[in-house]
Amino acid sequence: MTDYFVATAGRAAAVVEHGPAGEPDVPTLEMKWVEPAVLGSSLWAIIEGVPAEGDRVPLDLDRNDAAGEIVGAADDYGHGVLRIADGFVRALAGLADDRIPAVAAVWSRCEEWIGDWEPGELDDTVLGLRDLAREVTRPDLGMYMWWSGP
């Protein structure tokens, strides 16, 4: 599980054990396998128009590292909370509706995905991430990702 959510730092730390699902007043996007380190960083690079080499998906971790600091982890890192980089949140929040299909189409080619995507299949995922990023409306809020492994 890789649930993305918007909260204060204190609230994010409080959900390390059980995750944000069901928490009142915590906007959450429940997903699976959408990790920020590579897939999120690639999405950020695509949004920013970073050039790719040949047919590859752009990835520049020096410039577009979407994974922020770990807020907390439990069970030998079996689950925990990671802050999403503020720059990625701003890039997502600024993504226009008309760009979502093109961005999602390029993102669908990331080799880190498990399986292949049909055209348009990731549009709702990009839209959901974009809409969640737009929930970060105050300086004390951030976007976080709660993970839970097998």
Side-chain angles (χ1 to χ4, degrees):
M1 300 301 296
T2 52
D3 294 347
Y4 287 71
F5 64 101
V6 172
T8 62
R11 191 80 180 266
V15 302
V16 167
E17 287 290 332
H18 56 80
E23 286 287 316
D25 303 319
V26 176
T28 303
L29 180 61
E30 295 180 18
M31 295 191 290
K32 291 184 180 181
W33 304 111
V34 184
E35 56 75 35
V38 176
L39 286 172
S41 298
S42 292
L43 179 56
W44 187 4
I46 294 163
I47 292 169
E48 295 289 329
V50 172
E53 294 180 26
D55 199 30
R56 298 183 59 111
V57 174
L59 179 64
D60 182 350
L61 293 177
D62 291 330
R63 181 177 161 187
N64 302 105
D65 187 355
E69 70 275 2
I70 293 176
V71 173
D75 292 338
D76 291 327
Y77 290 86
H79 60 274
V81 172
L82 172 86
R83 184 176 174 100
I84 302 301
D86 291 337
F88 180 39
V89 176
R90 284 190 299 273
L92 278 169
L95 183 61
D97 286 344
D98 63 343
R99 288 195 60 217
I100 288 174
V103 166
V106 174
W107 195 40
S108 73
R109 296 194 328 254
C110 285
E111 62 187 55
E112 288 76 20
W113 289 114
I114 299 171
D116 295 326
W117 295 99
E118 294 295 322
E121 226 177 342
L122 281 177
D123 291 9
D124 286 342
T125 301
V126 174
L127 177 63
L129 286 166
R130 193 279 310 267
D131 289 350
L132 188 65
R134 289 182 175 180
E135 294 283 334
V136 180
T137 57
R138 302 186 323 251
D140 64 328
L141 293 175
M143 183 185 251
Y144 298 86
M145 189 263 313
W146 178 75
W147 78 86
S148 179

